[in-house]
Every structure is written in C-alpha cells, then in structure tokens.
Amino acid sequence: EMSEMSERSKQNVAHGLAWSYYVGYLKIVLPRVKKSMEEFSRANPNVLACRETWKLHILVPLSCDICDDLEKADSNIQYLTDLTETTLTRAGTKKRVYKHSLYAIKDEDNKLWHCAVEYATPLQSLYAMSQDECAAFSREDRLEQAKLFYRTLEEILKGSKECAGTYRLIPYEESGEAETHFLSRNILWHLQQQRHEEYTMYEGNQPHNPSTTFSSTELNLQISESDLPQPLRSDRF
C-alpha cells in the first residue's frame, strides 16, 4: 500500500534519479577529476590557474531544460578540449569511456575563465516525463522533483568521502526575461566564488561579494513535507 501511494504521488522519482546518478556515474568519475585536471595543467600551465576550480561543475536547471550544446546555449561559452578519458568495463560493456569537456567562459571584460562543466543528465528524464502523456507528469510535478533531485544529490555528495572537493553544483532558475548570457554569468559567479575561497584559504581574508547575484542559497528550493520521498515499508503499520 505504501509503495502504491508513493508511485501515485511520484515521491520517489527524483530520489531514485539522484541516487542512480551518483552510484552509476558521479561516484565513478569524480574521484578521477583532479588527476585529469593535474595532467592537463602540467601540459597547459597557464590555463587552469586556480586550483580551487579543478572540479566538475554540474549545472542543475530547475526547469530541467537542457541544451546539448553549451556553445549554442550561450556564445560566451566556448569548448576548449576534452580531459583525459577514463575507460572501464561496466555492466557488460567493454572499455566504456567516461570523459569531461573543458570550456572557456568569457566575462564582461573579455577575460577567459576555464572549467569542466556539464549538465546533470537525469534532469532530461524529468523533462521528458513532463512531455509524455503516459507519465501523467505535470510541469508543477517537474519543478518539485527538480528541487528534490538537487536537495537529494547535494546530501548524497556531502556524505561521500570519495567525491569531497571534486564537484560544484550550480542550481539555477532562469528568469522570465530572455538573457543572452545568463548561463555564462551564472557559471562565472561560481568560478569567482571559488577563486575568492582559494585566496581566503591562503591569505586568511574574507571573500568579497561579486557584483553578480546567482547564489544558490537565493533560489526558491523549498519543498513541502508531503513531497519528500517516503519509505516503501514502515514498521509503524
């Protein structure tokens, strides 16, 4: 009965997607990110100047609207190269390849900031569900599940020792007005924050607040109690 209730209210969709994303992908690739960054930095010492940004930056649009080509999404984002591939045998597939792309992000002063960035791919499933009549998944359901996906993933990664210091989640809500460089400015805000964090660590100073305001803490990520994932069994009944 509890299982049927959870299925009808879609309470376990985002929870399951977050765990699948972590176990089936992030837990595999994130521990290898810094090594790939180090290898690239040795060959290109002037590109990745700030070690604090040697992470995988994961975009989490709450709209679940994902553009496969970041360069088309924002002209201030330019593909640079791919980092070193990781090849593993997984689930019967020989030599499965995992890799990340490095991008150059141009700011308002035409300065280039470099980072590895990609979307959280499970959000594509949430978006597809909201477009498929068979899923009976409304836009409101999609938004709530996107929020729950982010919160769940954040908690999972916080508790993961293997992934500590290897990622940066970038949740965001797109404004109603069309902004040509919304995405690049959002990524830049996080890169600048990490740079300030590195300076603070080495110099003992307090970080300054950048002029752009895309802090994830400002997002409306409140989720009602009834929307949280529920256990499929309960000893209380």
Side-chain angles (χ1 to χ4, degrees), residues 171-188:
Y172 62 89
E173 290 181 285
E174 295 185 10
S175 62
E177 301 178 0
E179 295 184 48
T180 306
H181 301 301
F182 174 87
L183 187 57
S184 61
R185 291 199 299 123
N186 201 354
I187 297 171
L188 283 168

Side-chain angles (χ1 to χ4, degrees), residues 44-197:
N44 306 271
N46 297 323
V47 176
L48 297 174
C50 179
R51 295 183 67 92
E52 190 63 28
T53 62
W54 291 11
K55 303 172 183 177
L56 180 60
H57 296 76
I58 304 171
L59 301 175
V60 187
L62 298 184
S63 67
C64 299
D65 191 5
I66 290 177
C67 181
D68 290 326
D69 192 336
L70 284 171
E71 293 177 299
K72 292 182 179 178
D74 190 321
S75 60
N76 278 351
I77 303 176
Q78 295 296 319
Y79 168 77
L80 186 62
T81 188
D82 290 330
L83 295 175
T84 305
E85 298 178 350
T86 295
T87 304
L88 300 171
T89 297
R90 294 279 296 176
T93 301
K94 296 287 187 179
K95 298 181 180 180
R96 176 169 290 182
V97 175
Y98 299 87
K99 67 178 181 180
H100 309 292
S101 296
L102 195 67
Y103 287 88
I105 318 295
K106 185 169 63 176
D107 64 17
E108 295 178 352
D109 299 321
N110 289 323
K111 176 184 176 182
L112 296 179
W113 300 64
H114 300 90
C115 69
V117 60
E118 64 188 44
Y119 283 102
T121 52
L123 294 179
Q124 287 182 314
S125 297
L126 288 177
Y127 188 85
M129 287 177 67
S130 69
Q131 303 297 308
D132 194 319
E133 293 181 0
C134 295
F137 202 75
S138 68
R139 290 185 178 182
E140 291 74 18
D141 291 330
R142 184 181 72 197
L143 176 59
E144 290 303 308
Q145 290 300 305
K147 293 177 182 179
L148 181 54
F149 172 84
Y150 167 71
R151 287 291 181 84
T152 304
L153 183 61
E154 185 180 41
E155 289 302 313
I156 293 171
L157 289 172
K158 280 183 178 179
S160 174
K161 294 181 180 179
E162 302 98 321
C163 299
T166 63
Y167 68 92
R168 178 89 171 193
L169 295 180
I170 305 180
Y172 62 89
E173 290 181 285
E174 295 185 10
S175 62
E177 301 178 0
E179 295 184 48
T180 306
H181 301 301
F182 174 87
L183 187 57
S184 61
R185 291 199 299 123
N186 201 354
I187 297 171
L188 283 168
W189 188 91
H190 284 270
L191 294 176
Q192 291 164 355
Q193 283 292 92
Q194 290 172 92
R195 184 175 181 179
H196 287 309
E197 289 167 8

